Structure formats: C-alpha cells, structure tokens
Amino acid sequence: VRRASLRDYKPGQGVLSFHSHDMKAHCAPPESLELVLSPEQEREVASLCRALSEDLSLTLFGVDIIMDPGTRELYAIDVNYFPGYDG
C-alpha cells in the first residue's frame, strides 16, 4: 500500500503498528504533502458530511476523509460522534 502520509508498506512486512498520537516516526514530512481540493471536491465533502449528519442523526461530529491519490476519489473512514478539539 502506498500512502503519502505513511511510509510505504510492502507485502510481507507484517503488522504495521503505531501510536495514533505520536506519528512523527511514521509520517512523511508535512512539506512533502499537498492536498488541494477542487471546488467540486469541496462540494462532495460538504455533501458527504450532510448525508452523514442526516443518516446518523448527528449535528456535531468529526469525520476523517481520505483521498485515493490515483483516482482522487474521497472516502470517509471514521466518524467521531464526540470529536476532540484543539485551540
């Protein structure tokens, strides 16, 4: 599996484990990552969030969305009904 945010994982390497609050050892440098959503993709994200809100009856939630770098398709991979906030 190739990911821009994590080091490449090669078949046969076994389990990839990491501490989700300390990703420094596993992540690519932030300057090497670039995420630019087109206006259409921004509308897709907003639509996805509205659908999740309605389907799950939530008004406040966090959602993790990933993008396939080849197809640029968006996928919701996690919904948090009690999200944390910084700042």
Side-chain angles (χ1 to χ4, degrees):
V1 176
R2 279 188 60 86
R3 293 178 168 217
S5 61
L6 293 175
R7 293 183 182 152
D8 294 345
Y9 177 82
K10 294 174 181 48
Q13 281 185 290
V15 175
L16 174 66
S17 61
F18 57 89
H19 187 280
S20 63
H21 296 280
D22 184 19
M23 294 293 294
K24 294 180 192 108
H26 300 285
C27 290
E31 60 275 7
S32 71
L33 305 175
E34 182 180 339
L35 175 63
V36 178
L37 295 179
S38 69
E40 179 182 338
Q41 287 168 324
E42 287 183 8
R43 288 189 293 273
E44 288 178 31
V45 169
S47 178
L48 175 61
C49 291
R50 281 191 295 275
L52 287 169
S53 176
E54 290 175 17
D55 292 347
L56 301 174
S57 299
L58 297 173
T59 56
L60 175 65
F61 62 95
V63 61
D64 294 340
I65 298 173
I66 63 172
M67 177 189 294
D68 181 307
T71 65
R72 298 190 61 85
E73 290 184 66
L74 303 171
Y75 299 93
I77 59 168
D78 189 23
V79 177
N80 301 294
Y81 67 92
F82 194 78
Y85 291 95
D86 290 332

